[in-house]
Amino acid sequence: MLTFLLAIAAAATAGYFTTQAGQGGHWGYGILAGFAAALAILIPINLWIRKRLTALFTGVQKDLLASQERLRTKATALANRGQATPKLVAQLEQEQTEAVRQALPPLEEARKYRLWAPLAMAQANLMKGQLLYQIRDYEAARPLLEKTMVVDPLILCMRMVLLWKKDPEDLAGLEKLFRKNIGRFKYEKGTLAYATYSWLLVKQNKLTEAVKLLDEAKKKTEDPVIAQNWEHLANRRLNRFSNAGLGESWYALGLEQPAPVRAMPQDRFGGRMTRGGFRR
């Protein structure tokens, strides 16, 4: 906001003095001078703010990725040793939650740029909302994500899930949210949103509505998971309905957990046993 005010003030000043300077001043030169003065204010300030915000968000993401990689390595080592007990898995999840919560305070630094870049806090709140959703703090994530623009399918899916968790019976509100935003995502980009909405409908036992939705989705996305789920529901094979084929993008929503991968036992010589019993 302050950036635009300064730009307007600079443009008005430059335009005034240009038209008034000397004899025969022309308004056209005043407009050009005002435009140039506004750009001289807008461009450097916006570049400086963008650089600072990019550094802030990138730094938070790097810290989180480093934490996730460390925990992933630790989890893999435990699994390979056959020590991935429920207690240790819960401990790793708690460590991940703590790492995410430690990443939230630095995002508040975006607040000091809000007068210069009105969207700075919107970007910070979007990241905070996603992180809180990731650690399943849905109550804290809800007010942040509800105020953000649906810029990608994952945000739409998160908002649908949050609405469903708040009131599973509000199917009208769920459809309104879905229909308002799904048009932004063409072809395969809408796959996750259709899959999520159909899953929520199935959970509410709205099978007819889910079949209609998937029939629409398979024509627009041509995704094999969507097509299979439509076929399963259309033939009342409810137990075979699954979004697991969408992989990590589906599991990121926290509605289902991937099946645990069991490590193969090791023989006494330290080699990993294959299913046929031979050592690699």
Side-chain angles (χ1 to χ4, degrees):
M1 184 63 71
L2 288 180
T3 307
F4 289 106
L5 292 177
L6 287 175
I8 291 173
T13 301
Y16 173 79
F17 283 107
T18 300
T19 55
Q20 297 300 317
Q23 296 182 353
H26 195 277
W27 60 268
Y29 293 121
I31 293 176
L32 290 176
F35 185 70
L39 290 180
I41 294 292
L42 287 172
I43 293 176
I45 292 179
N46 283 334
L47 288 176
W48 178 77
I49 292 175
R50 181 182 299 177
K51 183 178 180 180
R52 298 298 296 270
L53 290 174
T54 299
L56 172 62
F57 297 141
T58 302
V60 171
Q61 290 174 337
K62 286 178 64 177
D63 289 343
L64 286 171
L65 288 174
S67 173
Q68 290 173 353
E69 184 60 30
R70 176 178 59 81
L71 291 174
R72 186 180 297 111
T73 301
K74 190 174 180 180
T76 301
L78 290 173
N80 288 339
R81 294 197 298 265
Q83 298 176 347
T85 63
K87 183 178 180 179
L88 289 176
V89 170
Q91 181 179 334
L92 290 177
E93 290 179 351
Q94 182 60 34
E95 290 182 27
Q96 176 63 24
T97 297
E98 291 174 0
V100 169
R101 292 202 179 279
Q102 290 175 3
L104 297 177
L107 291 173
E108 285 297 313
E109 291 186 23
R111 191 175 298 278
K112 63 185 180 183
Y113 301 110
R114 66 187 186 279
L115 294 179
W116 299 94
L119 295 179
M121 277 310 297
Q123 290 177 276
N125 287 336
L126 174 59
M127 183 177 288
K128 287 170 63 177
Q130 290 177 293
L131 291 175
L132 288 166
Y133 185 103
Q134 177 184 326
I135 60 175
R136 302 178 187 178
D137 190 347
Y138 300 124
E139 291 303 315
R142 183 175 291 110
L144 295 172
L145 292 178
E146 283 180 346
K147 297 177 182 178
T148 62
M149 290 184 61
V150 178
V151 294
D152 64 59
L154 183 60
I155 298 301
L156 173 57
C157 294
M158 287 181 173
R159 288 186 58 177
M160 287 195 295
V161 172
L162 290 173
L163 179 60
W164 176 73
K165 286 183 176 292
K166 181 179 181 181
D167 185 2
E169 301 299 327
D170 186 13
L171 296 179
L174 194 62
E175 181 177 10
K176 181 179 179 181
L177 175 61
F178 176 80
R179 292 299 173 189
K180 180 180 179 181
N181 294 285
I182 190 59
R184 303 177 186 180
F185 311 118
K186 305 297 184 182
Y187 308 111
E188 71 279 356
K189 291 183 179 180
T191 299
L192 184 61
Y194 276 109
T196 302
Y197 188 22
S198 65
W199 189 93
L200 297 175
L201 288 173
V202 170
K203 282 296 178 181
Q204 293 307 113
N205 202 33
K206 300 295 182 180
L207 302 186
T208 301
E209 291 84 347
V211 170
K212 291 180 180 178
L213 178 73
L214 290 174
D215 183 56
E216 171 189 332
K218 68 187 182 73
K219 296 174 182 176
K220 293 186 176 182
T221 67
E222 298 183 356
D223 186 89
V225 174
I226 294 291
Q228 280 186 343
N229 280 338
W230 172 83
E231 184 178 351
H232 293 325
L233 290 185
N235 291 281
R236 290 299 187 262
R237 297 194 295 263
L238 185 59
N239 61 323
R240 300 185 65 179
F241 175 89
S242 174
N243 287 328
L246 297 178
E248 288 299 320
S249 60
W250 167 247
Y251 293 123
L253 293 171
L255 293 172
E256 292 181 333
Q257 296 298 317
V261 178
R262 294 192 302 174
M264 299 299 293
Q266 293 183 337
D267 68 8
R268 60 179 178 174
F269 300 107
R272 186 179 298 280
M273 300 296 290
T274 64
R275 294 185 183 276
F278 295 101
R279 184 161 55 92
R280 292 177 182 174

